[in-house]
Every structure is written in C-alpha cells, then in structure tokens.
Amino acid sequence: MVTGCATTATAGEDAAQQKKAESVMIFPTNGAANLPPELPIKIYASGAPLGSVAVTADGGKPVEGVYSADRTMWRSVRPMMPGTRYTVAATAGSARGSSSFSTLAATKTFEIDTLLPNKDYTGLTVGVGMPIMITFNTPVKDRVSIERNLLVQASKPVEGAWHWFDDKTIAYRPKKFWPPRTKVRVTARMAGVRGDNGLYGGKDVVRDFTIGRSQITKGDITKHTMDVIRDGKVIRTIPFSAGKGGVWKYHTTSGIHLAMSREDVTVMTSPDAGPGQAGYYQQTVYDTVRISNSGEYVHGAPWSVGSQGNSNVSHGCVNISPSNAKWYKEETLIGDPIILTGSPRQLEPTNGWGHWQPKWKDWLKWSRLRDATTDPMV
C-alpha cells in the first residue's frame, strides 16, 4: 500500500512537470519593429509538438511555412515583405504563444524587366538548348538571396545551375541539353527578396514553358555542309557557304550557337562602315535564323548557291539556298542548338546566347548556390 501511494504521487508530479515544460517560442519577438525583411519567421515548441500555427501578414494574408519532421519547429519558406506587420499564434500541447512585429520599409524596389522564354518573343515551346534568362530593371548585389528564390521545376529531372553575367543579368541552363518534351516552370519569388541595402523585390513572376522535339544542327565550316538532326536522326543535309575569312570579322564563329530569332525579312548593314566608306554594304535577305549578336544568321542567299557546299564566300553568315532557308526557318524553334566547327574564331559566351560555350565547371564559377536537380512539377 505504501509503495502504491508513493508511485501515484510521483506520476502526478511528473505530469505536472511535463505540463509546465510545454512552451512555445516565437521569433521575431512580440513588439519588434523595423526588422530586416530577409529574416525568416520561426516558431519553436518544447515539451510537446506544435499544434496549430497561424501566421498572417497585413490584411490577414496567410504566410506559407514548413514544419520540421518532429513538428518541434515551423519556419516561413520565404522572406517577409518590407513595411509589413505580421501576427503569429501557435500552440504546443497546453502552451500558447503569440507575437506581433513589423518590418522595415523598402527604400527602393526592383523588378524583373525580362524573363525568357516568353510568349511574344520566343514562344512557349522552345528548343532543347533554351536557357532561362532574367534581366532586372536595376543592379542587384545580394546574389545569394536572389538565387535562393529562383526555383526551377521540370517534368523530367534535370541538373542545372544559375550563372551571373553581371549585376542585372542571370541565366539558367542544364548541365546537358534539356530532355525533349519536358515541361518546365520557373518561379521567381522576388517579392520581399533583398537585392541590396534598402532594395527589395516588388513582385513574383511565374513562367511555364515546354521543351519541344530535339533538333540539333551540326555543321563543319571546312566541309561546307550541315546536318539537321531531329530526335537522333538526320532529316536533312544542307550545303552552305560560311565566312570567307581574311579579316577576323569575316570568320563565322565556331561553337554552340542557339537559334535566337526567325525572320521572314532581315536588312543587313555593315556594322563598322557607313555609306560611301570602304566595306559598306546593305542587303535585304529572306528567311533568316539569327545565331549571334555579331550579325551571324543562317539565311537564304541565291547569289552564292554556286559556292554552297564547296567554298566560303560570305561576310560571316551561313548562306544556304532559298528553298533550304525557307524550310530551315519554318522547322526551327527558338533555342535550337546550331553547332558549328572548323573556324579559328570561337563564339564568345556573351555574343548572343553563347550560354553553352563555357564548360560546366566554368559555368558554375559564376553561380552562388552551385548546381542542383530540378524540383518535380506538381
């Protein structure tokens, strides 16, 4: 009987101590003001797992967060918004916790100026070489915060990474060409993201696009022919005439080019000579596919049909017959790779969309978070 009484008393004390140990801790703390928006909201529980968690911003907008596996912690998944008041209420067993706090207002905001692919310029079905390219409307310095909030999802797993070209320009490409017929979503969660001291993102941007069939063109400048390879099979071999050389600018560049535009009519003008000057030319050409920013196109050239397949006579473009040019333009997607070899002049990574020119290890040197496998589409 004595032992029984002692055991009952001890169990009661243990239960009281356990109840007393249950607690909820919230960060930021209640009443905090002028907080840096990049801070996460965190809720910790002890003595019992978290029960209900309600986190809202101004106007009662819910804040998204995730629990730890044992439900002893909850964390917001993205930065807070500048100049915003937040309210938190949480439970852990019998314990209750609450907090209200506000963030520092932004001095300036930044937004995405362009995001490619897009519907108007590239179309939303693109080639297997198509990078994701983002340009901001003002320079940003906090590259880690930016990259952490650029999410890429794909219907087929892809290893890829972001790469900074400068403080306004960042691009993403896979380690290898995209698998054909892959659905891709890029989510730029820029709202509230820190870009620099006092500079925060203004809004999110989401873009869905699809990788089309695989079409890769491989051309040898010394042999004057290129094979158009679709889904692993050569569907057409096209004779061409490339840059005549002699002067460096008249060499067609070797390297992995991408189809950047398709045009019915293009007026080509000499880039470094005006009317009346030596070397000046202005010529209208038809059915063109642009492959660099230095004036290189694959285009119809009826005047050089006799040279196509046997010699190089152009100013740097890839000349093909009018019938082949029309077919090629119509069968090309923006982002299709055009791989040329045999020239002493290499395509520079910043000459148009030369994103595939750097080797993977060099691409990663300008990434703050390195490579990762895409998240699955949900």
Side-chain angles (χ1 to χ4, degrees), residues 89-106:
T91 64
S94 61
R96 303 286 186 272
S98 63
S99 183
S100 179
F101 45 85
S102 59
T103 56
L104 187 71

Side-chain angles (χ1 to χ4, degrees), residues 21-358:
E22 293 173 351
S23 64
V24 177
M25 294 176 290
I26 301 171
F27 298 97
T29 57
N30 188 45
N34 294 323
L35 294 165
E38 58 267 25
L39 291 176
I41 301 170
K42 293 184 178 181
I43 305 169
Y44 295 93
S46 61
L50 285 167
S52 63
V53 171
V55 184
T56 58
D58 284 340
K61 184 178 180 180
V63 175
E64 183 183 359
V66 293
Y67 291 92
S68 62
D70 59 3
R71 288 185 70 94
T72 59
M73 189 189 78
W74 180 98
R75 187 186 192 280
S76 57
V77 298
R78 59 181 302 164
M80 295 184 283
M81 291 294 295
T84 302
R85 177 166 293 280
Y86 290 84
T87 302
V88 180
T91 64
S94 61
R96 303 286 186 272
S98 63
S99 183
S100 179
F101 45 85
S102 59
T103 56
L104 187 71
T107 304
K108 298 180 293 181
T109 60
F110 72 90
E111 293 185 358
I112 290 176
D113 191 28
T114 58
L115 193 161
L116 297 178
N118 66 14
K119 181 179 179 181
D120 296 330
Y121 182 71
T122 64
L124 294 177
T125 298
V126 293
V128 296
M130 186 71 201
I132 300 169
M133 296 175 282
I134 294 176
T135 303
F136 299 104
N137 64 349
T138 192
V140 292
K141 301 292 186 181
D142 194 339
R143 296 182 175 184
V144 172
S145 292
I146 299 294
E147 273 189 58
R148 188 177 288 130
N149 288 280
L150 293 173
L151 311 179
V152 180
Q153 298 169 275
S155 61
K156 301 176 185 178
V158 172
E159 181 183 358
W162 293 94
H163 175 104
W164 290 89
F165 286 95
D166 55 47
D167 284 345
K168 293 178 67 175
T169 311
I170 186 172
Y172 176 97
R173 75 165 174 88
K175 185 176 182 178
K176 300 178 181 179
F177 292 146
W178 295 96
R181 302 169 184 88
T182 299
K183 295 185 182 300
V184 184
R185 173 175 296 155
V186 56
T187 302
R189 299 190 314 194
M190 293 295 100
V193 171
R194 182 183 184 274
D196 201 352
N197 293 332
L199 177 68
Y200 293 92
K203 63 181 181 180
D204 298 346
V205 178
V206 180
R207 182 70 40 79
D208 288 341
F209 62 95
T210 300
I211 306 300
R213 79 291 175 272
S214 172
Q215 181 169 298
I216 300 171
T217 300
K218 295 184 178 181
D220 187 331
I221 292 169
T222 64
K223 295 181 179 178
H224 320 291
T225 60
M226 61 187 191
D227 290 332
V228 182
I229 306 166
R230 181 173 296 174
D231 292 328
K233 297 181 179 180
V234 177
I235 62 171
R236 185 173 288 210
T237 297
I238 300 176
F240 70 83
S241 178
K244 61 186 177 181
V247 178
W248 191 248
K249 65 182 178 179
Y250 291 155
H251 284 287
T252 303
T253 57
S254 282
I256 305 174
H257 306 75
L258 296 177
M260 300 172 62
S261 68
R262 299 173 301 180
E263 302 167 19
D264 295 333
V265 181
T266 302
V267 178
M268 295 185 175
T269 305
S270 51
D272 51 4
Q277 297 178 323
Y280 172 77
Y281 64 85
Q282 184 179 77
Q283 190 162 20
T284 300
V285 295
Y286 300 91
D287 296 318
T288 69
V289 175
R290 183 160 65 102
I291 62 173
S292 78
N293 277 346
S294 57
E296 294 173 301
Y297 290 77
V298 178
H299 67 80
W303 60 87
S304 71
V305 169
S307 299
Q308 293 164 21
N310 59 75
S311 56
N312 295 322
V313 298
S314 82
H315 289 102
C317 287
V318 176
N319 288 181
I320 59 179
S321 71
S323 60
N324 278 328
K326 182 175 178 58
W327 178 89
Y328 193 71
K329 181 199 68 177
E330 292 175 349
E331 295 295 324
T332 295
L333 292 175
I334 303 304
D336 278 348
I338 296 100
I339 304 172
L340 300 176
T341 58
S343 169
R345 180 184 173 190
Q346 291 294 310
L347 176 69
E348 303 87 353
T350 55
N351 184 358
W353 298 350
H355 297 65
W356 293 92
Q357 284 297 90

